[in-house]
Amino acid sequence: MALGFEQIQSATSYVKDRLGGLEPTIGIVLGSGLGAFAERIEGAVSIAYSAIPHFPVSTVEGHKGRMVAGRVAGRAVLCMQGRVHGYEGYDPSEVVFPVRVLMACGARTMVLTNAAGGIGADFVPGDLMVLSDHINLTGRSPLTGPNDARLGPRFPDMSHVYPSTLQRHAHDAAKARGFSLRSGVYLGLNGPQYETPAEIRMARTLGADAVGMSTVHEAIACSHQGVPVLGISCITNLAAGISKQALSHDEVKDTANAVEQRFVGLLQDVVARL
Ligand code: HPA
């Protein structure tokens, strides 16, 4: 069944009924191995995805499947601990259903985080990269099919998906903590296989600095609804061919875990600035 406006509304009313009057204005999606941020949420209310009407449930190891609402630095946030991906067999409209529910719950700024392979010059595993833009090379779009004008226009502009003001907040927050962030273009592919070295050479030629299997569809859905996105990638590994080692999900999880506390602190300070 296609997930449209009615399904968004029914999931939203289920979630809102459990927020105890909290009115979240910031939506956050926590990617692979970055879920610890949810533990910093004060007065946390958590809701299992499996309990929310129509909500897709992640099958990936390292992704918890719950929404956590509460306050961070005094700001009301609604956070997804784990997401679903196209490679799990979900349609792009299902992949973006959760962010559409976050927006319907009141999110006016979206923070999308992910684990990604590093392509940019001098990138090292453990770097955090602010997305300056993205390239959607999945060959698919969550806006395929009839357009629902209640969500946004048929042909949305994509010139300012990741506004520089939001990027600046992230860079400033990192600087105040004594480290710097990378900045670059995220290229989204379907996966689930990691890339070949030839595909990474192509990605580099296309101007990508990091490559991953999420985020781009969610960012398109946000942009469709006029919601600005801050994207942060945790560079968990060097991309295929740059790294001498074979890639593995264990490496991705291990690096994300090693960076997690730095990432969590940064995100806390970023939320305070939004
Ligand atoms: N490629 C694609 N997705 C990823 C990678 C990668 O190297 N690392 C983490 N997610």
Side-chain angles (χ1 to χ4, degrees):
M1 182 185 52
L3 292 176
F5 200 76
E6 282 67 39
Q7 288 75 26
I8 295 168
Q9 293 213 301
S10 81
T12 300
S13 82
Y14 181 91
V15 172
K16 275 188 165 172
D17 283 350
R18 278 151 192 81
L19 295 183
L22 186 85
E23 293 181 357
T25 56
I26 301 170
I28 303 171
V29 180
L30 299 170
S32 289
L34 302 173
F37 178 75
E39 280 134 43
R40 301 285 181 101
I41 298 178
E42 294 151 29
V45 174
S46 65
I47 307 167
Y49 295 161
S50 55
I52 307 173
H54 314 294
F55 229 71
V57 176
S58 174
T59 60
V60 187
E61 202 195 324
H63 278 254
K64 284 213 175 96
R66 60 181 188 175
M67 218 182 241
V68 186
R71 289 192 179 273
V72 172
R75 310 295 308 276
V77 302
L78 188 52
C79 196
M80 286 180 44
Q81 209 175 13
R83 57 152 66 87
V84 299
H85 306 79
Y87 62 73
E88 294 176 73
Y90 290 108
D91 194 83
S93 72
E94 295 173 298
V95 168
V96 303
F97 182 75
V99 292
R100 284 179 166 158
V101 172
L102 297 189
M103 292 186 280
C105 286
R108 289 290 159 270
T109 305
M110 193 69 68
V111 183
L112 301 177
T113 72
N114 58 56
I119 300 175
D122 305 328
F123 278 24
V124 293
D127 280 349
L128 297 175
M129 183 190 91
V130 178
L131 274 64
S132 58
D133 207 345
H134 80 224
I135 299 171
N136 173 19
L137 219 61
T138 64
R140 308 182 81 189
S141 166
L143 308 183
T144 300
N147 184 57
D148 189 331
R150 290 170 292 187
L151 297 178
R154 170 75 289 187
F155 300 110
D157 177 55
M158 293 284 289
S159 307
H160 304 285
V161 179
Y162 306 91
S164 52
T165 45
L166 293 183
Q167 295 179 48
R168 181 50 44 210
H169 287 319
H171 287 292
D172 289 348
K175 205 166 168 194
R177 285 188 162 254
F179 60 93
S180 61
L181 302 175
R182 304 287 189 171
S183 175
V185 173
Y186 175 95
L187 183 137
L189 290 163
N190 194 66
Q193 71 285 355
Y194 291 116
E195 301 70 34
T196 62
E199 287 164 344
I200 293 301
R201 287 195 295 277
M202 172 193 73
R204 180 183 266 157
T205 303
L206 294 180
D209 298 290
V211 60
M213 306 174 194
S214 67
T215 305
V216 292
H217 291 157
E218 295 157 349
I220 291 167
C222 291
S223 212
H224 184 224
Q225 294 188 229
V227 169
V229 177
L230 172 64
I232 305 176
S233 291
C234 172
I235 304 299
T236 52
N237 57 280
L238 296 181
I242 299 174
S243 163
K244 303 278 169 286
Q245 267 165 264
L247 306 191
S248 75
H249 187 53
D250 284 342
E251 182 191 3
V252 169
K253 283 188 297 180
D254 289 348
T255 310
N257 288 336
V259 178
E260 199 161 31
Q261 287 314 314
R262 193 156 57 93
F263 170 81
V264 163
L266 172 75
L267 202 47
Q268 232 173 344
D269 292 357
V270 169
V271 166
R273 290 168 190 260
L274 294 178

